[in-house]
């Protein structure tokens, strides 16, 4: 039983550390990609290409365009709501399953109604706030 208590304490710590590490790695990767695109533009200017002919940094390819769309709040909010909704929905299914297995009276299925409804609401709101039409 003592091993499980240690595991319950260490799992959130590992999760937080992993989340922070992932955030740092993604930020460094984005900065590196922007830096490489800027260097490519500078090298082209040094070789004598007219800067007016070169595309702006915002138009230097689909990679940077996709990179900038991650920072667009109109694109991020629906994705965040969808992820939160799916996670909440699966949490509701997990709670219902655990209580159905451990409960002897068989009326514990109702424990998942509230988080399930919340998850469905988040998924629907993700669909509602998603931008329509061209960017």
């Amino acid at each position: 039983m003592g091993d499980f208590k240690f595991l319950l304490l260490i799992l959130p710590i590992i999760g937080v550390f992993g989340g922070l590490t992932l955030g740092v790695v993604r930020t460094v990767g984005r900065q590196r990609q922007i830096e490489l695109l800027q260097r490519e533009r500078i090298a082209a200017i040094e070789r004598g290409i007219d800067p007016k002919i070169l595309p702006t940094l915002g138009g230097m390819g689909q990679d940077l365009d996709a990179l900038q769309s991650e920072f667009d709040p109109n694109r991020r909010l629906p994705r965040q709501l969808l992820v939160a909704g799916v996670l909440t929905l699966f949490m509701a299914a997990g709670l219902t399953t655990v209580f159905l297995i451990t409960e002897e009276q068989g009326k514990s299925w109702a424990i998942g109604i509230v988080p399930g409804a919340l998850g469905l609401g988040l998924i629907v709101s993700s669909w509602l706030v998603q931008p329509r039409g061209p960017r």
Side-chain angles (χ1 to χ4, degrees):
M1 191 63 156
D3 293 335
F4 291 120
K5 289 181 182 177
F6 175 72
L7 187 63
L8 289 175
L9 290 175
I10 199 73
L11 281 177
I13 294 170
I14 291 172
V16 168
F17 180 73
L20 290 174
T21 304
L22 181 66
V24 168
V25 167
R26 285 183 69 185
T27 303
V28 168
R30 284 186 195 130
Q31 288 300 105
R32 180 73 178 145
Q33 187 175 11
I34 290 171
E35 179 185 341
L36 289 173
L37 288 172
Q38 288 173 340
R39 283 186 181 184
E40 183 178 340
R41 182 174 167 83
I42 290 171
I45 292 171
E46 286 176 350
R47 289 198 174 107
I49 296 176
D50 188 18
K52 294 176 185 174
I53 298 173
L54 293 174
T56 62
L57 189 59
M60 289 187 79
Q62 295 175 347
D63 292 337
L64 189 58
D65 207 23
L67 187 67
Q68 289 174 342
S69 72
E70 285 186 26
F71 296 111
D72 184 12
N74 293 332
R75 300 250 180 236
R76 284 178 59 190
L77 181 63
R79 188 176 23 201
Q80 291 170 343
L81 287 172
L82 182 64
V83 167
V86 169
L87 287 175
T88 308
L89 203 58
F90 276 98
M91 182 192 69
L95 279 174
T96 302
T97 305
V98 165
F99 278 101
L100 278 175
I101 291 171
T102 59
E103 185 76 24
E104 287 124 15
Q105 290 142 359
K107 297 183 180 179
S108 59
W109 58 268
I111 194 75
I113 289 177
V114 172
L118 177 67
L120 285 174
L122 286 169
I123 291 172
V124 168
S125 66
S126 162
W127 177 75
L128 288 175
V129 300
Q130 187 170 5
R132 308 279 190 256
R135 286 214 282 190

